[in-house]
Amino acid sequence: MPAAERVPLRSVTVWLLLQSLLLLASCLPSAAAFPKGCYPSDEEGLKTFRCSNARLTEVPRDIPNDTNKLFLDSNRIPFLPRDAFRDLPLLLELDLSHNAIASVESGAFRGLAEHLHSLDLSSNRLVSVSKDAFSNLKAKVNLSNNPWLCDCRLQELIRTVDLAAGSSGGIVCHSSAQEEHVGKAFLQVIADTDFCNVYKKTTDIAMLVTMFGWFAMVISYLVYYVRQNQEDARRHLEYLKSLPSKQRRSEESSTISTVV
């Protein structure tokens, strides 16, 4: 074949190869859209998105919405805002362990109630979390290795969530109103102590003390008022006695009727 005919053929071949590469690239997710250190994979037939040890300081926004397993462990995430995972309707497992999470807003897991079956929040900085943050969540939850404050709020939370097997022993009192509870497993403590009942009793006593204080103030005011009126009436009667008899009798009758 003449050289003049081979050049166009070679150009066509290169052009077709480039077109094929562009078509293939358009069918694949762009790695540039993912945060540094994050990547998708397919594990045992489940769509997985891994961001372990990626130095993240917040939950990424560009997570594929068909993700089944999400790993955000070993990062620097400090809190979970409302609707943090609302665009992940197919999420089955969520690993948030070994972060710096100290706050979980109510509604942070909204949209995950129907499918999520595993939530790992172990080894974070959780001290106190409202039970509403886990409202309607059916997942097995791991709350171990956090600096928990043992009080009524934690007791209500533990009663609300379904703890992951073997994780309950790791929920330890880092602080408590009663010093003897510190360092003990929370489930061991509430076997003998009802924090919410203690709180209710304390509240009731405070209300009784407040009511007694108000009652004492009212009684004191009434006594003062009666004594003050009696003193005013006595002075007025003494004044009337010093008046001429006719005027005195008239004003005495007026004073007596007023007092009565």
Side-chain angles (χ1 to χ4, degrees):
M1 179 181 295
E5 294 182 5
R6 288 201 300 269
V7 173
L9 182 59
R10 186 177 302 170
S11 299
V12 170
T13 304
V14 171
W15 182 82
L16 290 174
L17 180 59
L18 287 174
Q19 289 295 317
S20 300
L21 290 174
L22 288 173
L23 181 61
L24 180 62
S26 66
C27 296
L28 295 174
S30 175
F34 302 140
K36 184 178 179 181
C38 299
Y39 61 92
S41 63
D42 195 335
E43 300 178 8
E44 299 178 351
L46 296 176
K47 299 289 185 179
T48 303
F49 195 74
R50 289 189 174 273
C51 289
S52 304
N53 291 293
R55 299 183 179 181
L56 298 176
T57 56
E58 63 180 2
V59 176
R61 299 179 181 179
D62 299 316
I63 302 172
N65 56 16
D66 61 348
T67 298
N68 303 128
K69 299 170 68 175
L70 177 58
F71 292 87
L72 298 175
D73 55 300
S74 303
N75 283 290
R76 304 170 183 174
I77 301 172
F79 76 102
L80 300 178
R82 184 187 302 272
D83 295 324
F85 307 98
R86 67 177 180 179
D87 296 325
L88 302 173
L90 303 180
L91 197 61
L92 302 175
E93 298 182 22
L94 175 57
D95 189 347
L96 290 160
S97 64
H98 296 89
N99 273 281
I101 300 171
S103 174
V104 180
E105 290 188 1
S106 179
F109 303 110
R110 185 160 48 191
L112 302 181
E114 295 300 321
H115 300 283
L116 192 70
H117 63 69
S118 177
L119 171 61
D120 194 345
L121 281 166
S122 63
S123 301
N124 276 282
R125 299 178 184 175
L126 296 172
V127 175
S128 182
V129 179
S130 171
K131 64 179 181 179
D132 295 334
F134 298 87
S135 180
N136 300 320
L137 204 61
K138 301 174 183 177
K140 298 285 185 180
V141 183
N142 188 344
L143 298 172
S144 61
N145 299 321
N146 282 281
W148 291 109
L149 166 63
C150 289
D151 60 0
C152 180
R153 203 177 193 200
L154 179 57
Q155 182 171 317
E156 290 181 336
L157 174 63
I158 297 301
R159 288 175 176 173
T160 300
V161 302
D162 187 4
L163 295 177
S167 68
S168 60
I171 304 175
V172 177
C173 298
H174 184 266
S175 59
S176 176
Q178 300 180 32
E179 190 66 26
E180 64 268 22
H181 295 156
V182 176
K184 293 183 179 179
F186 184 69
L187 292 188
Q188 175 187 348
V189 171
I190 61 174
D192 302 316
T193 304
D194 188 337
F195 285 96
C196 296
N197 192 40
V198 170
Y199 174 79
K200 185 176 182 300
K201 287 181 179 179
T202 303
T203 304
D204 290 345
I205 291 172
M207 289 181 63
L208 287 174
V209 170
T210 302
M211 291 175 63
F212 178 78
W214 279 104
F215 183 73
M217 289 176 61
V218 171
I219 294 298
S220 299
Y221 175 78
L222 289 175
V223 170
Y224 168 80
Y225 179 80
V226 171
R227 287 181 177 177
Q228 188 67 29
N229 282 336
Q230 287 178 343
E231 184 66 22
D232 290 343
R234 184 184 63 78
R235 285 198 300 266
H236 191 61
L237 286 174
E238 289 177 354
Y239 166 74
L240 291 177
K241 289 177 182 179
S242 66
L243 296 176
S245 59
K246 187 173 182 180
Q247 181 181 358
R248 182 176 60 200
R249 281 196 300 273
S250 175
E251 294 196 9
E252 280 180 351
S253 300
S254 176
T255 301
I256 292 172
S257 63
T258 301
V259 173
V260 172

